[in-house]
Amino acid sequence: MKLKKKVLLSAEMMSLLVVLTGCMQYDENKNPTGFIYDYLVVPTGKLIVMLAEMLNGNYGLAIIAITIIVRLAIMPLNFSQIKKTMVQQEKMKYIKPELEDIQFRQKNAQTPEEKAAVSQEMMALYKDNNISMTGGVGCLPILIQMPIFTAMYQAVNLTPEISASTFLGINLGVSSPLLAILAGVAYVIQGYVSTIGMPQETKSQMKSMMLMNPIMILMFSWSSPAGLALYWLAGGIFAAAQTALQNHMIKPKIQKLVEEEMKDRPVKKNVKMAKPASSSAPAQAVKTLSATNQQTDGKKGRNAGKQSKS
């Protein structure tokens, strides 16, 4: 499951890179054209210019304003996704003993039939408790934002007013290592906030995932115009604040709901659970030692009999 999440996230980020850099069409005079340019890039560029005019010509604030608008628009979807994920995580705490039993027997299964039977048992455990095998993870929020990333990336490059503007002394039309690093740090903070209150075991499992997203953001921001890095920086700060709000307001309610749902569930105890090798080995050693002692005692008895006859 953990590997599947990593592959999913990597595929999403690679798709984003392809969309950002390879979707634009150009005519024979090397002028941008096509559906993406006409219906995404041009409207986004005009919106940024309009907002900048309302903000005394500050294009940086205009990009931040667009970030907030986009984040507010997809917030209901994000809240729904996070709620599902939290429910899955809370339920996993209740089935952990049974799951560890199944995983142990799956690891020690000898035949294909045994492995298939244990796999079926694991699927039944998830199904009976209404838990998704993927942990409730979905990619829809990222997929929705991909066209926005594309529009922002190309608008900053192709709109003269934006590419020639500055924000806090930073040229928005060229890459900015400072903004790239800050964007990466913002998503590191967001990842840390998302793990607050999680068991230590879960935190350890998520450690690599927490680092992967900020690293990808840092890489893209480093080679992208500063205007796009500013968009990601503002988005990371917004996401961290949103995650903190979810942990404070939503998580306690979900914990109570899951507790009520899971308290009366039937617990399946598997009586065929194999004993660990560490515990069975000493028992086998005791049996072997006992047999050896019996043989030794028998030999001693026979020898003693011979000596007495003589």
Side-chain angles (χ1 to χ4, degrees):
M1 188 187 304
K2 193 165 104 174
L3 178 60
K4 185 174 181 180
K5 291 179 183 179
K6 291 182 180 180
V7 173
L8 178 62
L9 181 58
S10 299
E12 289 168 357
M13 290 302 183
M14 289 303 296
S15 299
L16 174 59
L17 178 61
V18 172
V19 171
L20 285 174
T21 58
C23 64
M24 286 293 295
Q25 300 177 10
Y26 295 87
D27 58 20
E28 60 276 6
N29 297 320
K30 296 185 178 180
N31 294 319
T33 185
F35 178 85
I36 298 293
Y37 178 75
D38 292 335
Y39 294 97
L40 282 179
V41 179
V42 172
T44 301
K46 289 182 178 179
L47 178 60
I48 294 175
V49 172
M50 182 184 71
L51 289 173
E53 291 175 351
M54 296 171 59
L55 296 168
N56 298 321
N58 194 318
Y59 283 88
L61 290 179
I63 291 174
I64 294 173
I66 287 182
T67 306
I68 295 174
I69 293 171
V70 170
R71 290 285 178 170
L72 289 174
I74 65 174
M75 182 180 284
L77 179 62
N78 272 330
F79 268 107
S80 175
Q81 184 71 48
I82 290 297
K83 183 178 179 180
K84 291 178 182 178
T85 303
M86 286 182 176
V87 168
Q88 301 289 305
Q89 291 174 347
E90 290 299 319
K91 286 185 175 181
M92 288 295 292
K93 296 178 184 178
Y94 288 88
I95 71 167
K96 183 179 177 181
E98 297 160 84
L99 185 61
E100 288 179 344
D101 173 17
I102 294 174
Q103 289 173 338
F104 176 82
R105 288 185 285 111
Q106 188 178 46
K107 181 179 179 181
N108 291 276
Q110 300 297 323
T111 65
E113 291 77 13
E114 290 178 354
K115 293 180 180 179
V118 177
S119 296
Q120 289 294 328
E121 189 177 341
M122 179 181 290
M123 293 176 64
L125 177 64
Y126 277 94
K127 183 178 180 180
D128 292 344
N129 292 280
N130 196 24
I131 299 176
S132 171
M133 295 290 287
T134 61
V137 176
C139 58
L140 187 57
I142 292 182
L143 293 176
I144 289 177
Q145 293 182 71
M146 284 176 64
I148 301 169
F149 291 152
T150 304
M152 291 292 297
Y153 180 87
Q154 300 294 353
V156 172
N157 276 330
L158 300 174
T159 305
E161 295 91 338
I162 302 174
S163 59
S165 63
T166 60
F167 178 67
L168 299 179
I170 300 173
N171 189 339
L172 297 178
V174 298
S175 61
S176 169
L178 175 61
L179 286 181
I181 293 172
L182 291 176
V185 170
Y187 279 91
V188 169
I189 295 173
Q190 189 272 334
Y192 171 77
V193 173
S194 67
T195 63
I196 294 178
M198 285 185 179
Q200 188 60 42
E201 181 181 356
T202 306
K203 288 183 181 180
S204 300
Q205 293 175 354
M206 292 185 62
K207 190 173 295 183
S208 58
M209 295 296 297
M210 287 170 53
L211 293 176
M212 188 178 296
N213 194 28
I215 289 174
M216 299 297 281
I217 293 295
L218 174 62
M219 290 171 57
F220 288 140
S221 299
W222 196 276
S223 58
S224 300
L228 188 62
L230 179 60
Y231 174 84
W232 273 322
L233 171 58
I237 295 173
F238 189 98
Q242 178 180 319
T243 303
L245 180 65
Q246 290 166 347
N247 287 340
H248 180 70
M249 297 184 62
I250 298 179
K251 193 169 185 177
K253 296 179 181 179
I254 289 177
Q255 289 174 333
K256 290 183 180 180
L257 290 174
V258 173
E259 182 180 1
E260 288 295 321
E261 180 182 348
M262 302 292 285
K263 68 179 182 180
D264 297 326
R265 74 183 185 93
V267 178
K268 297 181 179 179
K269 295 182 179 179
N270 196 299
V271 296
K272 296 181 181 180
M273 179 176 176
K275 294 181 179 180
S278 58
S279 61
S280 60
Q284 184 64 32
V286 170
K287 290 181 180 179
T288 304
L289 181 59
S290 176
T292 303
N293 290 337
Q294 289 177 4
Q295 291 178 351
T296 304
D297 292 341
K299 290 180 179 179
K300 288 181 178 179
R302 287 194 298 269
N303 293 334
K306 291 179 180 179
Q307 291 175 358
S308 63
K309 288 181 181 178
S310 61

